[in-house]
């Protein structure tokens, strides 16, 4: 079992729709959770982080964390073609390292 | 721009040669990380420095890989006797005391071993 799992996709949504990206993790000692966006050929760019159970909103992005279920998600409202990228879930675990999932490829169709 | 800086951005080398990458972190950040990323995969942790001390090193890091951060500022990652399997993007990242575990990546250094 991978430490951080994401559906690889590709996930396609029409412009203006809500994109929902999911991530599960295995380390119950994990403390903080991050979402990065990565355009093809570029390095990861931090979008959001979340430490506590519940929702955290930042503009069109909402991160959701459920530690009991070991689940974290990212919602993108009013999706735009410029949101088309790979979204990486990352977890800061008990080994004091940031561990990444393999990423979900999102395509927003105009 | 005071982000994480990496160079060279691209390196093509012949199998068996040595290569070195340099990383300059965000100036006030005391933690520096190296990751490796191959196509279709997320970044994989290689090693971590706090100031000049190398505190963590992945089992992925064979003895051909060595990293240094001599004065707690910039860092170098050297790969000796490169193999084709070393072809990847090498990412440097940094974080600071105030930022907790939030890390910021540089633009990456692409290595192609031919």
């Amino acid at each position: 079992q991978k430490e951080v799992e994401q559906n690889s996709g590709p996930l396609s949504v029409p412009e203006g729709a809500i994109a929902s990206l999911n991530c599960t993790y295995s380390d119950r000692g994990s403390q903080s959770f991050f979402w990065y966006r990565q355009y093809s050929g570029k390095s990861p760019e931090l979008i959001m982080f979340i430490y506590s159970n519940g929702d955290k909103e930042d503009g069109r992005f909402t991160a959701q964390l459920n530690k009991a279920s070991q689940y974290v998600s990212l919602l993108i409202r009013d999706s735009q073609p410029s949101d088309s990228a790979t979204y990486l879930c990352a977890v800061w675990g008990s080994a004091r390292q940031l561990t990444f999932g393999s990423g979900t490829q999102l395509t927003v169709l105009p | 721009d005071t982000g994480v800086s990496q160079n060279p951005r691209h390196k093509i080398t012949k199998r068996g040669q040595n290569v070195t990458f340099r990383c300059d972190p965000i100036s006030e950040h005391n933690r520096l990380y190296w990751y490796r990323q191959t196509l279709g995969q997320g970044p994989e942790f290689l090693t971590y420095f706090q100031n000049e001390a190398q505190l963590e090193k992945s089992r992925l890091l064979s003895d051909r890989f060595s990293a240094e951060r001599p004065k707690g500022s910039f860092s170098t990652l050297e790969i000796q006797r490169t193999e084709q399997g070393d072809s990847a993007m090498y990412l440097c990242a940094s974080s600071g005391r105030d930022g907790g575990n939030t890390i910021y990546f540089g633009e990456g250094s692409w290595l192609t071993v031919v």
Side-chain angles (χ1 to χ4, degrees):
Chain A
Q1 181 190 7
K2 287 187 177 179
E3 294 181 47
V4 180
E5 297 217 37
Q6 299 181 250
N7 290 329
S8 60
L11 172 66
S12 294
V13 299
E15 185 173 356
I18 296 174
S20 178
L21 304 160
N22 304 316
C23 173
T24 58
Y25 60 94
S26 59
D27 180 359
R28 285 198 170 272
S30 298
Q31 303 165 10
S32 39
F33 308 85
F34 302 83
W35 284 99
Y36 287 82
R37 177 175 61 198
Q38 187 171 28
Y39 293 112
S40 181
K42 302 295 185 181
S43 65
E45 172 192 10
L46 179 67
I47 300 175
M48 289 190 70
F49 59 86
I50 185 167
Y51 300 147
S52 304
N53 278 329
D55 295 359
K56 180 181 178 182
E57 189 175 315
D58 184 359
R60 296 187 296 114
F61 298 97
T62 299
Q64 299 175 316
L65 175 61
N66 184 325
K67 288 186 178 180
S69 301
Q70 295 175 245
Y71 175 89
V72 59
S73 66
L74 180 70
L75 301 177
I76 307 174
R77 290 182 301 281
D78 188 25
S79 295
Q80 301 297 310
S82 59
D83 294 328
S84 298
T86 296
Y87 288 80
L88 296 163
C89 172
V91 175
W92 188 271
S94 52
R96 298 185 303 161
Q97 293 176 12
L98 194 62
T99 300
F100 285 81
S102 297
T104 298
Q105 187 180 344
L106 172 67
T107 300
V108 180
L109 303 169
Chain B
D1 187 292
T2 56
V4 179
S5 176
Q6 293 187 244
N7 66 81
R9 296 290 316 285
H10 300 272
K11 179 73 176 178
I12 300 174
T13 191
K14 291 184 178 179
R15 190 173 50 188
Q17 298 294 305
N18 299 345
V19 296
T20 299
F21 299 109
R22 175 177 169 130
C23 172
D24 289 88
I26 294 171
S27 59
E28 62 269 26
H29 284 182
N30 64 330
R31 301 175 195 170
L32 186 147
Y33 309 81
W34 286 99
Y35 283 79
R36 177 174 64 189
Q37 187 177 24
T38 54
L39 281 175
Q41 299 299 314
E44 293 177 297
F45 171 81
L46 293 179
T47 191
Y48 154 58
F49 291 85
Q50 181 158 308
N51 300 313
E52 66 274 12
Q54 188 173 19
L55 297 185
E56 299 279 349
K57 193 173 174 182
S58 168
R59 286 169 290 178
L60 295 173
L61 215 61
S62 77
D63 56 7
R64 296 185 298 106
F65 288 72
S66 62
E68 294 182 343
R69 194 182 183 198
K71 296 183 179 179
S73 55
F74 73 92
S75 175
T76 58
L77 177 68
E78 181 183 19
I79 309 173
Q80 296 181 325
R81 305 183 302 281
T82 52
E83 301 172 357
Q84 286 187 321
D86 297 331
S87 296
M89 179 165 63
Y90 290 84
L91 290 160
C92 179
S94 69
S95 67
R97 295 182 183 89
D98 294 341
N101 301 328
T102 305
I103 73 172
Y104 299 90
F105 284 93
E107 293 180 313
S109 293
W110 286 95
L111 173 65
T112 302
V113 181
V114 298

